């Protein structure tokens, strides 16, 4: 599904909820396109020396979001990268603007039905360290779906699809819209 018909920059930013496949698809996409791959959550952990859960526990979501924005400000200055963003990256308007102005946003869409099993054993996802995971995932989807939709240059559905199939769709779209 085409959201717009322009390719803005050489950078590709993958947005979407946790469990959509942003890291897996991002690694494959970068490999196939000869680009560098980054995962914003991993970069935050590298820069702080602690895991995301610790940051959320000590600094709360606000502290984490400030760190995330700083990492994005750095990473989006690079050229020729594929960046897998965190599911909540798009909630901050500064991040929305930065990503939109500095690259192509590809929204990896996943249904709640397929998302929940993908994240069930993920201890590094602070938002899911709760008993009511399905309710949290549904609430996050309701809050963030309109943002993902409005920012996306291209959207690809990931339910029941291999990393390779999703990657192939993205590459085909990029080739079709490269100027």
């Amino acid at each position: 599904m085409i959201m717009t018909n322009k390719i803005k920059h050489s950078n590709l930013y993958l947005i979407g909820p946790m469990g959509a496949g942003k890291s897996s698809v991002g690694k494959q996409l970068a490999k196939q396109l000869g680009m560098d791959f980054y995962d914003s959550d991993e970069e935050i952990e590298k820069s702080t020396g602690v895991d995301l859960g610790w940051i959320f526990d000590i600094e709360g979501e606000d502290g984490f979001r400030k760190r995330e924005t700083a990492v994005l400000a750095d990473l989006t200055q690079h050229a020729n990268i594929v960046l897998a963003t965190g599911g909540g990256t798009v909630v901050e308007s500064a991040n929305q603007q930065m990503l939109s102005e500095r690259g192509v946003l590809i929204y990896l869409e996943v249904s709640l039905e397929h998302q929940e099993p993908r994240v069930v054993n993920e201890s590094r996802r602070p938002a899911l360290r709760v008993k009511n995971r399905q309710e949290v995932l549904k609430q996050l989807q309701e809050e963030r779906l309109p943002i993902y939709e409005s920012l996306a240059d291209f959207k690809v559905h990931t339910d029941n699809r291999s990393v390779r199939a999703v990657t192939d769709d993205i590459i085909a779209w990029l080739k079709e819209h490269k100027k």
Side-chain angles (χ1 to χ4, degrees), residues 34-65:
M35 300 171 79
D36 294 324
F37 173 76
Y38 294 93
D39 178 301
S40 62
D41 287 345
E42 288 178 9
E43 295 303 310
I44 292 166
E45 289 180 340
K46 281 183 198 173
S47 70
T48 61
V50 297
D51 67 25
L52 301 182
W54 188 89
I55 296 169
F56 268 80
D57 289 345
I58 302 301
E59 300 179 3
E61 185 170 357
D62 288 344
F64 171 78
R65 294 290 170 213

Side-chain angles (χ1 to χ4, degrees), residues 60-123:
E61 185 170 357
D62 288 344
F64 171 78
R65 294 290 170 213
K66 287 177 185 167
R67 290 183 181 278
E68 181 177 60
T69 298
V71 164
L72 283 179
D74 176 52
L75 290 173
T76 59
Q77 295 300 319
H78 292 67
N80 203 39
I81 70 166
V82 175
L83 173 64
T85 65
T89 299
V90 299
V91 300
E92 299 293 328
S93 59
N95 295 346
Q96 293 174 23
Q97 183 175 354
M98 216 182 316
L99 293 170
S100 293
E101 290 175 353
R102 299 178 184 173
V104 176
L105 279 81
I106 300 166
Y107 168 31
L108 300 190
E109 180 183 48
V110 63
S111 69
L112 285 172
E113 175 187 354
H114 287 86
Q115 180 187 23
E116 207 273 331
R118 293 179 183 181
V119 299
V120 71
N121 293 319
E122 283 285 344
S123 60

